């Protein structure tokens, strides 16, 4: 992974080289804290050890019974699905991947009606085994399979903790089961059993994904000038402190569109605490040059735009045309056009004084995806250390879970009482 901070040096808000060098002293201290956390496998910091602690053979063994699958359906929500979706969408594959990560009844019905259930592998993912949305969707999937005459126990495996409903279900029905790693919050679990089982069924090289992540781990150091991940995390933190409170993640590769979704959860849930934290926004280049870029270039100077692209990709030529006004396109390629769009956007933002950072991969392949995911996780952890927030907790999310469970009759939770206290001003 390569990070270019050049366009934050003369922007508004912006950083000078001297400010980055002063910040680097704090980065050194934060790195020491992170390394202690990794060495002790502390909660959260253990996620940065996944390139070494994740066992790809364990994952391959668990999914071996589903080698005939035409489709794989991951049932989870939040970090239990976004990591797997990001890897799957980035790498593609002959086995179709689908994700039930919401409880919209119409969307769920449409998806289940479209799947060959007798040829679909179902992975139910929940660390606790009590996540309401995940278990509700699984019950619906199981019912659909039974109604179609499919033995759901032949098509299902679980990824969960050592205890809980899903663990008991796996033991009762002798289902293959993968263990969610200890000390790894869901949004940091893309490089674990949680994020890689789907990729394994699709036939992707798990060793290469983990090797790419390991390469990025080896680049972590006591200086942001030696570590792309720390350079990005430190710059994002410092720009936020100076007024860039929005971070627009804009990949220039269709295959990385889901990555922006994953990044949004990582950044929001980890850093949005105690009245601080950048708000992530999602965009796609070049599509959103024709929509959101207007705001990013000419709107408030409260945004950092993160531009992501591969340095190499498969390409397709643009045919010659007899239309004179379009003749400049003939003989070039779609890749060259997309690169020109990327560089034009970058220059446009810089000319307007809007801070932007370039993040590049060699290519969107297993190794590159591993580097990108690990790099952004390490950047997020560093940002949290510099901001002094509890990066690995999510109290606001837990509040909402308790409120929803109380409304459904799953117990007495005072959070549910807040629903009845809602102020109403209805206009008919």
């Amino acid at each position: 992974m390569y990070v270019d901070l050049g366009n934050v040096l003369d922007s508004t808000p912006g950083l000078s080289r001297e400010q980055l060098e002063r910040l680097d002293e704090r980065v050194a201290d934060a790195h020491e804290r992170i390394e202690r956390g990794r060495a002790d496998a502390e909660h959260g910091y253990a996620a940065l050890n996944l390139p070494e602690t994740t066992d790809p053979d364990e994952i391959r063994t668990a999914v071996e019974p589903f080698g005939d699958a035409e489709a794989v359906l991951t049932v989870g929500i939040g970090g239990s699905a976004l990591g797997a979706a990001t890897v799957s969408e980035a790498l593609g594959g002959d086995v179709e991947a689908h994700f039930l990560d919401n409880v919209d009844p119409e969307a769920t019905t449409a998806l289940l009606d479209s799947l060959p259930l007798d040829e679909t592998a179902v992975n139910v993912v929940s660390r606790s085994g009590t996540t309401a949305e995940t278990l509700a969707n699984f019950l619906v999937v199981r019912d659909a399979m039974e109604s179609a005459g499919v033995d759901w126990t032949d098509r299902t495996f679980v990824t969960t903790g050592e205890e809980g409903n899903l663990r008991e279900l796996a033991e009762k029905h002798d289902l293959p089961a993968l263990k969610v790693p200890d000390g790894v919050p869901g949004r940091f679990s893309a490089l674990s059993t949680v994020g890689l089982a789907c990729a394994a069924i699709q036939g992707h090289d798990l060793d290469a994904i983990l090797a790419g992540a390991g390469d990025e781990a080896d680049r972590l150091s006591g200086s942001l000038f030696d570590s792309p991940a720390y350079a990005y995390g430190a710059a994002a933190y410092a720009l936020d402190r100076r007024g860039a409170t929005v971070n627009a993640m804009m990949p220039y590769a269709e295959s990385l569109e889901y990555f922006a979704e994953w990044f949004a959860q990582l950044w929001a849930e980890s850093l949005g605490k105690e009245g601080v934290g950048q708000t992530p926004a999602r965009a796609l280049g070049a599509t959103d040059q024709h929509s959101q870029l207007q705001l990013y270039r000419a709107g408030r100077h409260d945004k950092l735009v993160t531009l992501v692209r591969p340095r190499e990709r498969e390409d397709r030529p643009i045919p010659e045309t007899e239309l004179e006004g379009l003749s400049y396109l003939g003989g070039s390629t779609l890749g060259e056009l997309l690169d020109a769009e990327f560089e034009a956007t970058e220059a446009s933002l810089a000319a307007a004084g809007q801070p932007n950072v370039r993040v590049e991969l060699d290519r969107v392949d297993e190794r590159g995806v591993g580097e990108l995911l690990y790099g952004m996780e390490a950047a997020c952890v560093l940002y949290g250390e510099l901001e002094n927030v509890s990066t690995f907790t999510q109290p606001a999310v837990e509040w909402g879970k308790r409120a929803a469970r109380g409304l459904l009759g799953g117990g007495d939770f005072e959070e549910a009482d807040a629903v009845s206290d809602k102020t109403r001003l209805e206009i008919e």
Side-chain angles (χ1 to χ4, degrees), residues 5 8 15 20 23 230-240 278 304 357:
L5 301 182
V8 306
L15 301 167
L20 285 172
L23 179 61
Y230 284 172
Y232 182 75
Y237 157 77
L239 288 166
D240 178 21
Q278 273 183 327
L304 162 66
V357 172

Side-chain angles (χ1 to χ4, degrees), residues 148-168:
V150 178
D151 186 345
W152 66 270
T153 64
D154 288 340
R155 308 304 307 170
T156 302
F157 68 105
V158 303
T159 305
T160 191
E162 293 181 345
E163 300 178 348
N165 295 322
L166 286 182
R167 180 61 62 178
E168 293 173 7

Side-chain angles (χ1 to χ4, degrees), residues 362-374:
D362 286 325
R363 61 194 63 82
V364 181
D365 59 7
E366 283 93 343
R367 201 172 196 99
V369 168
E371 288 182 2
L372 182 61
L373 293 175
Y374 189 95

Side-chain angles (χ1 to χ4, degrees), residues 45-340:
Y45 299 98
L48 297 182
N49 295 333
L50 287 174
E52 298 176 357
T53 59
T54 297
D55 183 355
D57 289 331
E58 175 191 5
I59 299 171
R60 285 189 283 259
T61 298
V63 306
E64 190 174 356
F66 310 103
D68 63 339
E70 294 294 323
V72 53
L73 175 62
T74 300
V75 183
I77 196 167
S80 294
L82 277 172
T86 297
V87 176
S88 173
E89 291 297 310
L91 300 176
D94 294 332
V95 178
E96 292 187 4
H98 302 274
F99 301 88
L100 263 182
D101 59 354
N102 204 341
V103 288
D104 183 309
E106 293 181 347
T108 299
T109 299
L111 175 58
L112 293 177
D113 287 347
S114 72
L115 288 176
L117 295 176
D118 59 336
E119 298 178 323
T120 298
V122 177
N123 181 17
V124 190
V125 187
S126 169
R127 174 193 295 277
S128 66
T130 62
T131 308
E133 298 91 340
T134 299
L135 295 186
N137 273 334
F138 170 58
L139 293 175
V140 171
V141 172
R142 187 171 73 174
D143 181 67
M145 285 187 153
E146 290 175 342
S147 297
V150 178
D151 186 345
W152 66 270
T153 64
D154 288 340
R155 308 304 307 170
T156 302
F157 68 105
V158 303
T159 305
T160 191
E162 293 181 345
E163 300 178 348
N165 295 322
L166 286 182
R167 180 61 62 178
E168 293 173 7
L169 185 78
E171 293 173 354
K172 179 179 179 180
H173 295 282
D174 196 26
L175 306 179
L178 287 166
K179 181 179 177 296
V180 175
D182 294 329
V184 179
R187 58 191 176 276
F188 287 90
S189 65
L191 296 167
S192 76
T193 53
V194 175
L196 297 181
C198 178
I201 291 175
Q202 290 184 298
H204 296 304
D205 187 344
L206 305 190
D207 297 277
I209 295 172
L210 293 170
D215 287 345
E216 208 56 45
D218 290 342
R219 296 185 183 102
L220 299 183
S221 75
S223 172
L224 68 88
F225 297 106
D226 296 325
S227 169
Y230 284 172
Y232 182 75
Y237 157 77
L239 288 166
D240 178 21
R241 280 285 177 157
R242 287 160 175 78
T245 58
V246 175
N247 189 335
M249 177 58 67
M250 194 171 184
Y252 275 70
E254 198 90 12
S255 60
L256 294 178
E257 186 172 12
Y258 231 114
F259 160 73
E261 299 273 349
W262 172 86
F263 175 85
Q265 185 199 6
L266 178 74
W267 224 242
E269 199 168 8
S270 300
L271 304 173
K273 317 261 170 72
E274 302 173 25
V276 300
Q278 273 183 327
T279 299
R282 290 160 281 184
L284 178 66
T287 301
D288 287 313
Q289 288 177 213
H290 297 269
S291 56
Q292 298 179 39
L293 183 59
Q294 175 64 39
L295 173 67
Y296 300 156
R297 186 180 196 276
R300 293 190 181 96
H301 283 251
D302 61 352
K303 287 168 282 293
L304 162 66
V305 181
T306 303
L307 304 167
V308 182
R309 73 169 176 183
R311 290 183 168 180
E312 301 175 19
R313 68 175 101 222
E314 292 185 11
D315 212 342
R316 188 180 183 98
I318 300 172
E320 301 284 354
T321 176
E322 71 281 4
L323 299 174
E324 184 176 344
L326 298 179
S327 60
Y328 72 96
L329 292 174
S332 61
T333 69
L334 290 178
E336 289 170 347
L337 176 58
L338 190 58
D339 283 342

